[in-house]
Amino acid sequence: MRLADLCPAVLILGLACPAYTLAESDTVATLEQRVAELEAELTEARQELARARAGSQAARPSGIRLGPLRIGGAMRVNYVYGSYEGTDGGPSRGGDGGNVELDTFRLEAALDAGPWIGRLQYRWYPADAGKSYSFLHTAWLGYRWDENAQVEVGMTRVPFGPGPFGLSHSWFFDQHYYVGLADDSDLGVKYSHRGDDWDWDLAYFWRSEPNFSGRSEDSTRYGNDPVRWRETISEEGDVSFDVRRSGYREANQANLRAIRKLRSDSWESDIGVSLQWGQLDGSRVDDGEHWAASLHAINRRGPWALALQLTRYGFDIDADNPWNSDELIPLGAYDFAWPVATEAWLPALSLSYLIETGDIPWLDSVRPYAEYSTILKEARGQFDSDLAVLGAAWTAGAWYVYTDMAWARGNFFVGNEGDDYSRVDGVGDFGVAGNRDRHYRLNLNFGYYF
C-alpha cells in the first residue's frame, strides 16, 4: 500500500480522536463522582454498623443533605410512672403518679467532605423548677486518613469502656454514666484506629465540657464531670447549694483504650482495657487528681450479646474543703450537682437479644435486654448504689422507642420516696446513699429522628 493511500484513513482517525478523548474524559469524571458518592455511602453504612454492634442508642440517620453536610435532629417524649412523691426536684424524674413529659429536643449536623469530617449536636430540655436548660453535646472537626484511622479535635467523646454508650442498651444507661465514665464528651484531641484485629484510641483533654444555659452554677452539661457548686452554711451547719462557689474541674486528662477482636464462624468477642488519668483544678479547695481503669468485653453469638465490664475509679482530693470530706466529690450534669463517692468498684453486665422483624412492615427490629450495675463504695458508711433494668429497644424507620422497667437503690433518676436532698450526708444516691429503699420506675421513651 502506498503512503498516499493511507492519508484519508489517517485524516479520518485524527478527526475522530478528539471526540473519543472528550467522551472518555466525561465518562471518567462521571465514574469518579459516582465512586466518591459510593465511598461516602459506604462510610456512613460502616458507621451505622459500628453503632449497631456497639448498642448505639440512635435511630438510623436521615435529615436533610446539603452537599457533604447532613442536618437533622430528634424529639423524644417520656411516659413515667414510679415511686415518686410530692413535687419533682430533679432532672427527668417524672412526678407523682404517671406523667407524660418532653424528654429532649436536639438539632445536629454531620460533615463528610472527603477526608474532612465533623459532628455538631445541641440539646434542649424542659423546665426544671421553672427554668428550662440546654447544652452542647458534641462539637468536633476531624480528618480521616482512610476508613480505619481518624483524628477528632473539639468537644468529642472520651474513649472509655466497650462502646460509645458503655455496655447499656437502655434509656437509663448503667452506673458508669453517673460517675462520668460513659458517654462523656470533653474538650481535646482524639486519635482512633480501627483494624481487623485491634481497635486503638488515644486522647488528650485539656478540660471538661463547659457549662451552658441553665440555673445551676456549673452543671448545665450532658456528661457527668467534677463541678463547682455554690453553697450556704447555716447556723445549724446544714449545707445547701446556693452561695459560695467551690469544687473542681477536670484538666490535662489522658485516655488510652485498646480492644482485641476475636472471631470464629459462630461467635465474636471484643475484649478491651480502658485507662484514664487526669488532674483536678480546685476552686477554694486544693488541687487533686482522678483516675480510672476498666476491663470490658462484648461477646456475640448470633442474635445474642453479653457485655461485661469491671471498673475501678478514684478521685484523690484533700478533706480540707467546705464539705469536710475526701470521700465525696461534687459531680454535675443535667443542670444539677450531687456528691459522688470518691473511690469505688463498678461491675456491670448486659444481656440482649436482637430480633430482626422483616416480616412486620411497621417494625424493623426489637432488642430485649436485662442489665445490672452497681457502685461498690470503699468508704465506711456509704451504702452501695445499684441499678437493674428490664426492657427493650424498638426501631421502626425514623422511630426509636425504649420500654424500660428500672429498680434502683441509689440512682437519682429512679424514684424519690423518702429521699432527703437538702443535706450533704443525705444527698447523693451515688455518694452516702443514706436511703436504702428500693425504688422503681416505668419509663416509656418515644423518639423521632429526622
Side-chain angles (χ1 to χ4, degrees):
M1 181 179 292
R2 295 177 302 171
L3 181 60
D5 295 332
L6 290 174
C7 288
V10 172
L11 179 61
I12 293 172
L13 182 60
L15 292 174
C17 282
Y20 172 79
T21 304
L22 181 60
E24 182 182 46
S25 176
D26 288 344
T27 301
V28 169
T30 302
L31 288 174
E32 287 178 345
Q33 181 179 357
R34 182 57 181 152
V35 167
E37 292 173 353
L38 289 172
E39 286 178 344
E41 292 175 5
L42 180 60
T43 298
E44 186 170 328
R46 285 196 175 104
Q47 292 170 348
E48 287 188 57
L49 177 60
R51 284 193 294 265
R53 285 184 168 176
S56 173
Q57 306 193 351
R60 63 183 63 178
S62 54
I64 301 172
R65 286 198 172 276
L66 302 174
L69 193 65
R70 178 176 57 83
I71 299 174
M75 184 175 72
R76 301 200 309 234
V77 175
N78 269 342
Y79 170 77
V80 179
Y81 181 81
S83 49
Y84 292 91
E85 62 182 14
T87 303
D88 174 34
S92 297
R93 299 173 60 217
D96 43 359
N99 258 16
V100 176
E101 57 189 24
L102 176 66
D103 175 28
T104 182
F105 175 77
R106 78 189 201 194
L107 292 176
E108 58 194 9
L111 173 68
D112 286 283
W116 295 101
I117 53 177
R119 299 293 183 268
L120 177 69
Q121 185 184 119
Y122 199 91
R123 297 189 175 194
W124 289 264
Y125 287 81
D128 178 20
K131 183 175 176 61
S132 61
Y133 57 98
S134 64
F135 44 71
L136 193 64
H137 177 278
T138 304
W140 58 263
L141 182 65
Y143 186 87
R144 181 171 51 211
W145 284 275
D146 52 44
E147 63 184 42
N148 296 323
Q150 67 184 51
V151 64
E152 302 169 7
V153 179
M155 192 168 143
T156 183
R157 185 178 280 115
V158 175
F160 193 94
F165 306 100
L167 54 71
S168 177
H169 297 283
S170 80
W171 181 87
F172 291 94
F173 296 106
D174 72 271
Q175 298 283 56
H176 281 88
Y177 170 76
Y178 301 97
V179 296
L181 295 175
D183 199 16
D184 176 38
S185 293
D186 291 332
L187 291 169
V189 56
K190 177 174 67 178
Y191 172 78
S192 301
H193 184 272
R194 303 289 177 258
D196 293 334
D197 299 321
W198 287 91
D199 288 348
W200 294 92
D201 296 278
L202 181 63
Y204 167 76
F205 300 96
W206 56 85
R207 61 157 295 174
S208 57
E209 60 195 287
N211 185 59
F212 286 90
S213 175
R215 63 185 175 90
S216 65
E217 178 67 21
D218 196 27
S219 301
T220 313
R221 61 184 71 217
Y222 175 79
N224 286 277
D225 294 310
V227 295
R228 302 173 182 183
W229 60 21
R230 288 157 75 88
E231 58 177 354
T232 297
I233 301 180
S234 70
E235 294 180 359
E236 293 78 20
D238 293 338
V239 177
S240 60
F241 311 112
D242 260 343
V243 178
R244 294 181 304 183
R245 187 168 72 174
S246 58
Y248 300 91
R249 284 181 180 168
E250 295 173 347
N252 300 318
Q253 176 179 307
N255 283 83
L256 172 66
R257 178 171 63 186
I259 297 177
R260 178 71 166 93
K261 302 175 184 179
L262 303 176
R263 302 291 185 261
S264 77
D265 293 338
S266 59
W267 58 269
E268 56 185 55
S269 294
D270 296 337
I271 302 173
V273 60
S274 297
L275 302 174
Q276 175 175 298
W277 181 89
Q279 298 173 337
L280 294 172
D281 181 16
S283 174
R284 295 188 62 246
V285 295
D286 292 336
D287 294 342
E289 61 183 32
H290 65 99
W291 60 272
S294 184
L295 296 174
H296 41 80
I298 300 180
N299 309 285
R300 306 178 189 88
R301 184 181 179 89
W304 289 96
L306 174 63
L308 304 167
Q309 186 171 3
L310 177 63
T311 299
R312 171 72 171 175
Y313 76 84
F315 294 93
D316 297 326
I317 61 174
D318 194 275
D320 184 17
N321 54 52
W323 54 95
N324 300 314
S325 174
D326 59 0
E327 297 175 350
L328 296 171
I329 185 171
L331 263 65
Y334 283 89
D335 207 24
F336 194 81
W338 52 82
V340 171
T342 54
E343 289 187 81
W345 288 93
L346 210 167
L349 64 87
S350 171
L351 178 64
S352 66
Y353 187 90
L354 179 61
I355 304 171
E356 300 287 354
T357 55
D359 296 334
I360 303 176
W362 52 268
L363 183 65
D364 296 331
S365 70
V366 57
R367 184 190 290 271
Y369 44 76
E371 300 180 344
Y372 178 80
S373 57
T374 182
I375 305 173
L376 305 175
K377 304 162 191 173
E378 289 289 296
R380 178 176 297 180
Q382 293 185 356
F383 299 115
D384 298 337
S385 301
D386 63 5
L387 171 66
V389 181
L390 285 176
W394 311 71
T395 64
W399 288 91
Y400 202 99
V401 178
Y402 299 98
T403 53
D404 291 322
M405 188 70 194
W407 296 267
R409 280 183 299 204
N411 185 290
F412 187 67
F413 282 73
V414 182
N416 70 355
E417 289 182 352
D419 287 347
D420 179 6
Y421 295 108
S422 63
R423 298 174 55 86
V424 164
D425 59 358
V427 82
D429 292 336
F430 311 105
V432 176
N435 183 355
R436 301 186 69 189
D437 295 337
R438 185 170 293 282
H439 296 162
Y440 71 92
R441 170 170 170 166
L442 171 65
N443 195 87
L444 309 180
N445 185 268
F446 302 89
Y448 182 76
Y449 293 74
F450 55 86

